[in-house]
Amino acid sequence: MPPSGLPGTDDVPGADGDRTAGPPPDARTADGTGEGPRARRWCRGTRLLVAATGAWALLLVLHVLLAGRWWLWLLVEAVPPLTLVAVPLLLLAVTPLARPVRRWLAPVLVLLLLAGAHLAGFGAVVRGGPDTAARGTQVKVFAWSTDYWRMDDDEQDFYAFLRRQDADVYLLQEYLYWQDDEPVRIDDTTRLREELPGYHISVEGELLTLSRLPVVAEHHRRVPDTGTAWYREGSKAQRTDIRVGDRTVSFYNVHMPVPFQVGDNPLSGRFYRFLRDQYDWRDRELAALRADLAENPHPALLTGDFNSPWTGSLLDPAPGSRAHSPASGVLPARSWPVSDYPLPRLWRLDWLFTTGDLAVPGYRFGGGGDFSDHAAQEIRLVVPGPTTP
């Protein structure tokens, strides 16, 4: 018998071969299986989901930081903006299966989804919504990237399409031909005067502005009259000052350089040299446009083919301007491609900005698919009268 006050062996848990004794209580799970540490391990699917979320968050941050700032990032800029919504939605769809992390992972993905939706253009109509109550002189503007000026089109149908627009101001891009990968300058002014009588014709490089309103001034960049300087050194934002009512308004006809050529081999050095050259070219032209706007005393409308789906979010061609988006249903507006390419219409490359007190009560993407890979922009501009002191 043991001394008084000391437990006997029968009182000691696990003594004398007590085979039922297990790990201490803190090592057991609620069901007493003793599998706590193993149950807390993440399965492979959960680890993959967490890794994918982290990678996507990093990519989104890098996109915000590098878009428009690094030439190699032009490859990422080519991704359709709707991807920024599709990826977090897909990850959210499988999050309920990752039970150990779903409570904190779902809110993270919702934040990534909202950020992506903002960058992709959801809600843009609200931010730049129509000015239905605007009062002043109305101007009908038609802007369109023509896909190399009726190179493969029937002339009669092409000009009939332009006439039907009955615009006060036409802002047209790609007024040129291409031959053996070189731009070819054209002069179609005689036909233009026959088809659109009464319009002032202004040409700068491959940009064409037509106006039946009085033209106050044309601001053309001086370039050498040799080779292809008219195209490669000419302005990519043609400015024409036009009299609207009692005010002068600057109309900028914009066509920024393409980032790369569809079909080029991405494994070749030529592809990346072209990519860097195009980035430098775009950077110079955007800087020139911003500088001109900063010194321009007139209200301005800027529109055309900016060749980037991120112009309205991550690229700002006109600081202090107001971006406009046409109503397009559930998804953000898209303008390319409407023809020529076996791709879905997922990109918006054609944009509209205004400065000053100009109002846009009407704006939509119209036709153009019969002649070009770009949808045309139909714009109703209102220019308020001059303010009185």
Side-chain angles (χ1 to χ4, degrees), residues 160-329:
F161 173 71
L162 289 180
R163 286 197 309 270
R164 284 197 301 271
Q165 310 313 314
D166 191 30
D168 298 305
V169 178
Y170 290 84
L171 303 172
L172 307 174
Q173 303 96 50
E174 296 190 347
Y175 179 64
L176 79 165
Y177 296 156
W178 281 87
Q179 186 175 16
D180 299 327
D181 290 332
E182 289 295 323
V184 178
R185 200 170 193 171
I186 64 173
D187 183 0
D188 218 17
T189 53
T190 300
R191 182 66 182 271
L192 283 165
R193 290 192 177 99
E194 292 175 356
E195 299 287 349
L196 297 165
Y199 283 82
H200 178 94
I201 300 174
S202 178
V203 178
E204 183 172 11
E206 48 111 354
L207 301 173
L208 171 65
T209 295
L210 308 171
S211 174
R212 62 185 175 195
L213 301 175
V215 172
V216 176
E218 300 176 38
H219 302 260
H220 291 178
R221 183 186 299 173
R222 292 185 179 182
V223 297
D225 192 17
T226 57
T228 59
W230 62 273
Y231 174 76
R232 303 195 185 281
E233 299 179 32
S235 175
K236 290 300 177 182
Q238 176 193 25
R239 172 184 165 186
T240 306
D241 294 345
I242 296 175
R243 198 70 175 170
V244 181
D246 296 326
R247 301 181 67 184
T248 297
V249 178
S250 296
F251 289 79
Y252 288 84
N253 185 8
V254 180
H255 187 197
M256 289 296 151
V258 296
F260 53 83
Q261 292 178 326
V262 177
D264 275 3
N265 182 7
L267 301 179
S268 66
R270 179 186 179 277
F271 178 88
Y272 292 96
R273 286 192 298 271
F274 184 84
L275 192 73
R276 184 159 195 166
D277 290 344
Q278 294 300 101
Y279 170 83
D280 291 340
W281 191 4
R282 184 184 75 174
D283 201 42
R284 292 194 304 271
E285 291 301 323
L286 285 174
L289 173 59
R290 292 168 182 141
D292 190 89
L293 281 167
E295 298 177 358
N296 189 347
H298 308 301
L301 177 145
L302 303 85
T303 188
D305 177 8
F306 286 82
N307 265 313
S308 173
W310 308 100
T311 303
S313 54
L314 298 177
L315 301 180
D316 188 0
S321 66
R322 182 182 183 190
H324 300 268
S325 292
S328 58

Side-chain angles (χ1 to χ4, degrees), residues 129-142:
D131 305 294
T132 54
R135 298 289 184 269
T137 303
Q138 293 199 19
V139 182
K140 187 176 181 180
V141 181
F142 182 77

Side-chain angles (χ1 to χ4, degrees), residues 44 61 66 71 114 121-122 195 286 288 308 315 337 353 360 368 370:
R44 180 178 299 176
V61 171
L66 298 179
W71 65 272
L114 293 176
F122 285 88
E195 299 287 349
L286 285 174
S308 173
L315 301 180
F353 301 87
V360 180
D370 293 336

Side-chain angles (χ1 to χ4, degrees), residues 149-167:
W149 200 253
R150 63 172 179 78
M151 279 185 66
D152 302 315
D153 303 320
D154 181 272
E155 290 188 30
Q156 298 284 16
D157 292 341
F158 178 81
Y159 277 106
F161 173 71
L162 289 180
R163 286 197 309 270
R164 284 197 301 271
Q165 310 313 314
D166 191 30

